[in-house]
Amino acid sequence: MIRRVATCAALGLALAGQAQTASAAPFKPEGTPKVAMVLYGPRTDGGWSQAFEESRVRTEQALGIQIAVVEGIKESASAIRPAVELFIKRGYNVIIGTAFGYSDAFKELAEKYPKVAFLNGSGTTNGPNLESFYGRTYESHYLCGMAAGAVSKEGKLGFVAANPFGVVNWTINAYEMGARQINPKATTTAIYTGSWNDPVKERAAAEALAGQGIDVIGQHVDTPTPQIVAQEKGIHATGHHRDMKEFAPKASVCSLVWFWDRYLIPTIKKIGAGTWEPSPYGAFLSIKDGGPDIACCGADVPKEAADRVKAERQAIIDGKKVYGGPLADRDGKERVAAGATLSDADLWKMDWFVPGVVTQR
């Protein structure tokens, strides 16, 4: 999830080569790591912020440390700076942010406090003591699309999407591509809500999809509302951010799940050891690298299909590229040549769809 990415391409440019200041030597903190996390939303929001909170707890347990946390810090410098500077005043020297909208403020704070390490989930800014990080969410949605294709009776899938940005479009495309691994005739109809977190709009979109005869609903929005609607309608669904079967145990068959601790634990260890060298382009994490994984598969997914999902997951870990060529869009235009792989820059600015995707707004 990336909050209010009005210029989503900015993140793609940053990760694909926009000039940033690289560190000349590994970052060395003053003293042992004392870590704090700044949450965008409430730690019990059921989605994005709760996924960070759960990873915070796992990181504490793995490292034997305590990580202070403040929640509900919105994307404005007037909210971010006081919260972060209070932590720094109290001796915290590793600050973890959790929002795209923290990017500029974190850049300024990192420059002001060069002895403090800054990490920012879904950010765009980087520097000698600052690294933004995000995940290759399309890998997990590709796998969940396979599960969706396996439980769909008619091959008619739906997708409740937030905004028509590359970071969302790549999940929709991957979802359809995964579904067609199981059912070559599967289609995915996507409805954009125009918001990352709006249960009312998400319910309206999910109900509209169900009304069209769609029997599996995927999502790239924050709340579990699409899962809840699917269960109410007696159909299936796949989730985003966390294992959504918590909210719809009968409907949910697969979810993208963030395991931020897989990135945070080794990174904090490196910071403590004085060996951390933040990437000048940020960290763009695959499943193998500690990015988003899956919780799969629900009881209604046939064993043969579940085994195929597991095999494809392993193939991705072993190097398979979801966006490997040949690949054409739904208008027949070649987007990836045979033997090639879609670049990260092209991923971030994705504004096209694969065959089988129907978009509605």
Side-chain angles (χ1 to χ4, degrees), residues 305-356:
D307 289 343
R308 288 185 63 183
V309 172
K310 294 175 184 176
E312 281 292 276
R313 176 183 177 276
Q314 187 58 51
I316 289 171
I317 291 172
D318 292 339
K320 175 176 178 174
K321 305 299 183 184
V322 171
Y323 284 105
L327 183 62
D329 64 23
R330 64 186 179 188
D331 298 319
K333 179 180 178 180
E334 183 182 80
R335 294 291 180 167
V336 187
T341 300
L342 195 66
S343 70
D344 287 352
D346 286 332
L347 277 167
W348 288 105
K349 64 184 181 182
M350 184 177 284
D351 60 359
W352 51 271
F353 298 95
V354 299

Side-chain angles (χ1 to χ4, degrees), residues 223-245:
T223 87
T225 302
Q227 313 295 303
I228 295 169
V229 171
Q231 184 152 301
E232 291 172 355
K233 300 295 184 180
I235 58 179
H236 292 100
T238 65
H240 189 72
H241 292 320
R242 300 174 62 248
D243 187 352
M244 291 298 182
K245 70 172 180 287

Side-chain angles (χ1 to χ4, degrees), residues 23-112:
S23 56
F27 172 83
K28 296 185 184 298
E30 292 183 341
T32 59
K34 188 174 181 182
V35 188
M37 179 176 285
V38 182
L39 287 176
Y40 167 83
R43 67 178 82 184
T44 56
D45 69 351
W48 174 255
S49 291
Q50 188 166 341
F52 267 104
E53 166 65 9
E54 291 167 348
S55 292
R56 181 188 70 84
V57 173
R58 292 193 295 267
T59 302
E60 284 186 328
Q61 295 170 344
L63 296 179
I65 62 175
Q66 288 189 325
I67 300 176
V69 61
V70 62
E71 55 191 308
I73 304 301
K74 301 305 180 185
E75 294 171 304
S76 68
S78 62
I80 300 162
R81 287 197 193 101
V84 171
E85 291 191 315
L86 181 58
F87 278 131
I88 294 173
K89 183 178 180 181
R90 293 175 176 174
Y92 290 89
N93 58 3
V94 180
I95 308 296
I96 302 169
T98 59
F100 168 84
Y102 291 5
S103 298
D104 290 342
F106 264 49
K107 180 70 171 176
E108 294 171 3
L109 287 163
E111 292 171 351
K112 183 177 180 180

Side-chain angles (χ1 to χ4, degrees), residues 167-255:
V167 70
V168 178
N169 295 340
W170 79 38
T171 63
I172 297 169
N173 280 335
Y175 197 73
E176 170 64 12
M177 291 162 65
R180 288 201 169 190
Q181 290 292 313
I182 304 295
N183 180 353
K185 296 182 179 180
T187 61
T188 298
T189 299
I191 296 180
Y192 295 95
T193 65
S195 173
W196 298 110
N197 188 319
D198 189 326
V200 174
K201 290 181 179 179
E202 291 167 22
R203 172 169 285 277
E207 289 181 342
L209 290 169
Q212 296 176 33
I214 282 162
D215 57 7
V216 188
I217 298 174
Q219 69 175 82
H220 186 159
V221 288
D222 281 6
T223 87
T225 302
Q227 313 295 303
I228 295 169
V229 171
Q231 184 152 301
E232 291 172 355
K233 300 295 184 180
I235 58 179
H236 292 100
T238 65
H240 189 72
H241 292 320
R242 300 174 62 248
D243 187 352
M244 291 298 182
K245 70 172 180 287
E246 169 187 349
F247 304 98
K250 295 180 180 178
S252 296
V253 295
C254 182
S255 291

